[in-house]
Amino acid sequence: MKDIKRITVKQLFADCEGLTGSVVDVKGWVRTRRGNKHVQFVALNDGTSIKSIQIVFDLSRFSEEELKPITTGASIHVQGLLVASQGKGQSVEIQADELQIYGTADPADYPLQKKGHTLEFLREKAHLRPRTNTFGAVLRIRHALAFAIHNFFNDKGFYYFHTPLITASDCEGAGAMFQVTTLPLSDLPRTEDGAVDYSGDFYGKQASLTVSGQLEGELGATALGAIYTFGPTFRAENSNTPRHLSEFWMIEPEMAFYEIQDNMDLAEEFIKYCINYALEHCADDIQFLNDMFDKELIERLRFVTHNDFVRLSYTEGIKILEQSGRKFEFPVYWGVDLASEHERYLVEEHFKKPVILTDYPKEIKAFYMKLNDDGKTVRAMDVLFPKIGEIIGGSEREENYDKLMGRIAEMNIPMKDMWWYLDTRRFGTVPHSGFGLGFERLILFVTGMQNIRDVIPFPRYPGNCEF
Ligand code: ATP
Ligand code: MN
């Protein structure tokens, strides 16, 4: 091997012309090998790009024996001259000069030996699926979106605020919680009335994994002005749907002095920014997914970024659903918690645009949402997306201490450990708003994938917690 610096496949394609005629050094995993007795072609991918680089092995220089270990999945190191390609399908190729084999992948055992595996099959091989073109594309887009999110908020002067993953508050009501304990499960200490005695537990009280960082986020917003959280959340809900995970990532901006309109404006600008960022920075990966899975993907992404979201009240939405003449699985009436089929009817069939639905009945929303003057609805806003349904849930928060306490009493919210939250309303309370975006739902939309289990490297859902 000559002493040359490795170049990634992404860098190589970014500067094809400049590099043509020079000797390059590449390392990666073999996608395919084909050819004849005179020449062998290897597609090499190193994960930096959806594109693989073609490597040409001349059998006058390499023996068949030397090339034998180069099977799908093997890892190799190659040096050679970068030349314009004779063949179709690629602009440049490397004429191999030096070969080093890092690791073989026995075709008899390697699970990704064949091409064209179903997504269901790959879910069973989640430890290796990042090596496929599809998951490479999805995971690079996931990275780009995470980066875009930090960019967006940083540029706007929001502070990244870290809220705890372990929490003692259980009143958010967003979903069932996973408990965190060091108590001996086979011999739980009990109080006199038979309940579990948590006084000897790690925190001296019952603790859980968080379902949302919002309540703590409000503490940040009412101090720093505008914050956002971006971290994992955990919900022990038994929702075996293509849109729910038990461990997912959420972005939760929370802003002092924002009212519901400001909140909606921010949500719309934010989502459009993220989609545009992906279109701009992940063009190859999105094109690949468009061609392989969803021929309307790029068109749909452009459409969403180029059009205003429809804004209408829950009450108006219910009227449209009632007058639709459509027979839904779950009946529609004022007061119902909208199901995904209702949300998608509004978005995909009626408006054919993303919809921000506002002013929901207070009974179906969380205690902290600001009560409207009608006494019946709260200043909630859900952003509903084609193919996804709810992608964002948010609201203007109730900033009035007495009204908030009224809602807490009405809804029997267990507030015993929530004095800290109430203090935001006791000391220097301000109008404020925020929302939560499910990161994986955004990725679903941007990649056109159908199942949320395919947009996170290691999905957690009921019955599945491998590695
Ligand atoms: P849904 O009705 O779809 O279960 P939700 O009302 O429970 O959603 P929120 O509590 O408002 O959702 O959470 C904010 C956002 O987090 C949602 O808009 C959605 O994008 C995302 N989200 C909620 N639950 C899950 C989950 N189990 N898996 C992945 N994302 C989720
Ligand atoms: Mn839910």
Side-chain angles (χ1 to χ4, degrees), residues 118-127 129 135 450-454 459 461 464 467:
T118 63
L119 295 171
E120 288 77 16
F121 172 86
L122 292 174
R123 231 168 273 149
E124 310 272 298
K125 308 285 174 213
H127 62 304
R129 67 180 184 171
F135 285 90
Q450 306 272 354
N451 194 313
I452 198 160
R453 298 171 187 182
D454 296 334
Y461 48 92
N464 190 283
F467 43 75

Side-chain angles (χ1 to χ4, degrees), residues 439-451:
F439 188 42
E440 284 76 18
R441 296 215 185 151
L442 174 67
I443 306 171
L444 271 182
F445 185 72
V446 172
T447 59
M449 300 301 278
Q450 306 272 354
N451 194 313

Side-chain angles (χ1 to χ4, degrees), residues 21-71:
S22 60
V23 174
V24 293
D25 177 297
V26 292
K27 300 176 178 181
W29 293 269
V30 173
R31 281 286 204 266
T32 55
R33 173 160 72 92
R34 61 190 176 82
N36 53 43
K37 275 190 298 198
H38 309 291
V39 62
Q40 291 275 312
F41 301 99
V42 168
L44 191 73
N45 190 286
D46 68 358
T48 57
S49 165
I50 189 75
K51 289 187 189 144
S52 295
I53 178 75
Q54 171 155 288
I55 301 179
V56 185
F57 289 91
D58 198 321
L59 279 265
S60 63
R61 184 171 161 75
F62 295 91
S63 70
E64 282 193 43
E65 206 47 37
E66 271 177 286
L67 299 187
K68 213 167 159 200
I70 305 188
T71 56

Side-chain angles (χ1 to χ4, degrees), residues 179-348:
Q179 223 176 295
V180 175
T181 181
T182 52
L183 289 179
L185 293 182
S186 51
D187 184 22
L188 286 173
R190 303 271 171 188
T191 59
E192 266 165 34
D193 55 6
V196 176
D197 179 4
Y198 287 100
S199 61
D201 202 351
F202 194 86
Y203 298 106
K205 57 168 100 166
Q206 195 176 356
S208 309
L209 293 178
T210 187
V211 293
S212 157
Q214 180 203 316
L215 302 184
E216 293 90 347
E218 289 186 43
L219 299 175
T222 53
L224 300 172
I227 61 94
Y228 68 105
T229 72
F230 187 175
T233 45
F234 309 87
R235 295 187 185 180
E237 50 192 6
N238 204 349
S239 312
N240 258 306
T241 82
R243 290 179 315 281
H244 288 88
L245 291 165
S246 55
E247 175 181 304
F248 64 99
W249 288 64
M250 192 141 61
I251 298 97
E252 296 181 279
E254 195 70 36
M255 299 76 63
F257 317 113
Y258 270 52
E259 297 182 14
I260 190 75
Q261 297 297 336
D262 310 311
N263 205 20
M264 285 193 267
D265 291 345
L266 182 76
E268 183 166 345
E269 186 189 346
F270 172 49
I271 288 209
K272 286 178 170 173
Y273 176 92
C274 291
I275 297 171
N276 273 324
Y277 188 94
L279 279 168
E280 198 177 312
H281 292 83
C282 308
D284 288 351
D285 288 322
I286 292 178
Q287 187 69 52
F288 171 83
L289 296 170
N290 186 90
D291 298 345
M292 295 296 290
F293 293 101
D294 181 351
K295 298 274 187 284
E296 284 149 27
L297 175 61
I298 293 178
E299 207 181 289
R300 191 159 59 244
L301 298 180
R302 292 238 166 82
F303 180 82
V304 165
T305 58
H306 285 136
N307 285 280
D308 290 341
F309 296 0
V310 175
R311 299 182 184 191
L312 88 160
S313 71
Y314 169 92
T315 304
E316 291 170 273
I318 290 290
K319 270 191 210 133
I320 292 170
L321 290 167
E322 282 174 339
Q323 290 162 7
S324 68
R326 173 67 63 101
K327 232 183 140 34
F328 294 106
E329 189 188 339
F330 299 100
V332 176
Y333 53 91
W334 198 95
V336 73
D337 197 358
L338 294 181
S340 178
E341 55 169 343
H342 308 134
E343 297 173 343
R344 291 182 62 174
Y345 176 85
L346 289 174
V347 172
E348 290 167 20

